[in-house]
Amino acid sequence: MRIAVFSTKSYDRAFLEAATRGTGHDLQFFEARLTSGTSGLARGFPAVCVFVNDEVDEAALAALAEGGTKLIACRCAGVNQVDLQAAKRLGMTVARVPAYSPHAVAEYTVGLILTLNRQIHRAYNRVREGNFALDGLLGFDLHGKTAGVVGTGKIGAIVARILDGFGCRVLGFDSFENPACASLGVQYVGLDDLLAASDVVTLHCPLTPATHKLIDANALARMKPGAMLVNTSRGEVIDTAAVIGALKSGRLGSLGIDVYEEEEDVFFEDRSSTVLQDDMLARLLTFPNVLVTGHQAFFTREALGNIAETMAATFTGFEQGRDLPNAVEPAATG
Ligand code: NAI
């Protein structure tokens, strides 16, 4: 089957080529993001393969359908970038990679928490400049602190387990109680109670209408003063402007984000020689107590290998007309 791969980076190509070797699939790699403007590149391709910041909206889907595309294969877990209702109306199949390595994201999340708390990122720069002073690097013991996990699915449950290992009291907020968390002793509470009690709040829910700007000015006002907020889910789960306000007032103690609500215009490219046009992101980068990374929590060898293997199986299953175990229905994503 011919597959148009959008938003291709060298690592995508390497892993996808390895996983599809000998399968007979013909992958064409495009660096461009998929948008309604670039969808013409996929004309005549029965399948496209997209990533987190492709814009698979109704206009893009209509153009793809018109060009003969029937499968939207997302090489990621979240599918908020796809208009699932429109895809269904157009008779297209959408598939994703439900679990490629929840460990990759969970371990990275804890890395952000530790780095931010103990200011390892600042210490690294200081020492390289010959500054061995400790002023300003004071952290706190995670042991004995309360951590709130919002979304206790595959990733959240692993984060909960690691934080439990540190000796944290772990609170969970989710509409479904995950037995793996319950058996750990994670205490399920309402969001307000979680925010009020947690020293660290970490977000692991998908982006849906219900979670869009879940952490807004109201939620921030309900957080424990000086608490840490970490987001490795999707940027729009937090209201960045409100978060900046809470950081400026000192209400929010620190922020670690691997995702950003306007990231599609910035992330995944080297922009070091250009002027950053995004004023909100630029402001975030000025805070000493903010750590921003460019959507790399998933980026491990294991995760990329699993993503590519799942994509290869998806292409083959679809071509052979089999039911896809990783197909996504609009209702399933809330
Ligand atoms: P999952 O589907 O296993 O777990 C998500 C959990 O969130 C579920 O338990 C669900 O019930 C819960 N949830 C849904 N709506 C909620 C709400 N309104 N309030 C609280 N909880 C809610 O998904 P998984 O694999 O744990 O991934 C979570 C998210 O992490 C993905 O949707 C994706 O957006 C993000 N992600 C980020 C990556 C990165 O590189 N930064 C990589 C992979 C995923």
Side-chain angles (χ1 to χ4, degrees):
M1 185 166 66
R2 294 184 74 217
I3 300 131
V5 182
F6 283 87
S7 299
T8 308
K9 299 289 177 202
S10 57
Y11 43 84
D12 295 312
R13 187 177 185 136
F15 280 88
L16 284 169
E17 281 184 343
T20 53
R21 198 162 292 137
T23 59
H25 297 307
D26 173 12
L27 276 65
Q28 297 289 313
F29 294 95
F30 299 105
E31 288 180 15
R33 276 201 300 141
L34 174 63
T35 64
S36 53
T38 61
S39 53
L41 290 168
R43 175 162 279 280
F45 286 78
V48 296
C49 178
V50 299
F51 194 48
V52 292
N53 288 328
D54 289 296
E55 280 174 31
V56 200
D57 56 14
E58 185 161 17
L61 286 165
L64 288 171
E66 215 255 317
T69 300
K70 295 196 166 354
L71 172 67
I72 313 293
C74 304
R75 52 180 192 280
C76 47
V79 288
N80 51 282
Q81 74 280 38
V82 184
D83 184 336
L84 295 172
Q85 300 284 358
K88 196 176 172 84
R89 272 199 306 280
L90 291 161
M92 299 166 111
T93 300
V94 179
R96 65 177 182 135
V97 189
Y100 44 85
S101 175
H103 299 280
V105 184
E107 290 170 11
Y108 190 84
T109 301
V110 178
L112 281 182
I113 294 171
L114 290 172
T115 307
L116 199 52
N117 173 23
R118 307 305 300 272
Q119 319 235 22
I120 299 169
H121 55 308
R122 297 181 68 206
Y124 172 81
N125 286 324
R126 275 192 191 188
V127 166
R128 288 166 68 90
E129 294 291 327
N131 177 356
F132 297 91
L134 300 183
D135 308 71
L137 302 183
L138 192 66
F140 56 83
D141 284 9
L142 276 169
H143 182 90
K145 296 295 184 300
T146 300
V149 179
V150 177
T152 57
K154 289 179 284 298
I155 296 169
I158 298 170
V159 171
R161 179 147 52 84
I162 299 172
L163 292 174
D164 178 70
F166 279 128
C168 291
R169 168 183 172 234
V170 184
L171 303 178
F173 170 65
D174 199 310
S175 10
F176 301 98
E177 292 202 7
N178 185 336
C181 288
S183 64
L184 258 186
V186 171
Q187 195 187 336
Y188 279 91
V189 294
L191 183 60
D192 282 359
D193 290 336
L194 180 146
L195 295 175
S198 299
D199 300 286
V200 176
V201 174
T202 180
L203 307 175
H204 302 289
C205 50
L207 174 61
T208 67
T211 63
H212 184 259
K213 306 220 163 156
L214 184 71
I215 305 299
D216 59 7
N218 277 333
L220 289 159
R222 281 179 269 132
M223 282 177 73
K224 200 166 170 174
M228 177 191 294
L229 176 64
V230 175
N231 187 13
T232 59
S233 62
R234 285 291 180 266
E236 286 152 287
V237 176
I238 66 179
D239 179 339
T240 311
V243 162
I244 289 173
L247 285 163
K248 282 168 76 176
S249 72
R251 171 85 198 188
L252 185 63
S254 55
L255 173 76
I257 53 173
D258 184 50
V259 287
Y260 170 62
E261 58 178 290
E262 304 288 341
E263 70 176 50
E264 60 277 8
D265 294 331
V266 185
F267 282 11
F268 302 118
E269 302 294 336
D270 178 359
R271 306 206 187 267
S272 54
S273 303
T274 58
V275 173
L276 184 57
Q277 296 297 322
D278 186 318
D279 290 350
M280 232 167 27
L281 180 58
R283 183 67 178 100
L284 278 179
L285 296 177
T286 66
F287 291 98
N289 51 346
V290 171
L291 184 52
V292 180
T293 56
H295 207 136
Q296 70 173 87
F298 74 100
F299 200 55
T300 65
R301 274 188 288 280
E302 290 77 6
L304 290 190
N306 289 336
I307 289 170
E309 295 293 339
T310 306
M311 286 288 98
T314 301
F315 302 150
T316 302
F318 185 78
E319 188 178 41
Q320 295 176 352
R322 283 189 262 126
D323 280 344
L324 298 179
N326 53 335
V328 190
E329 288 297 322
T333 61

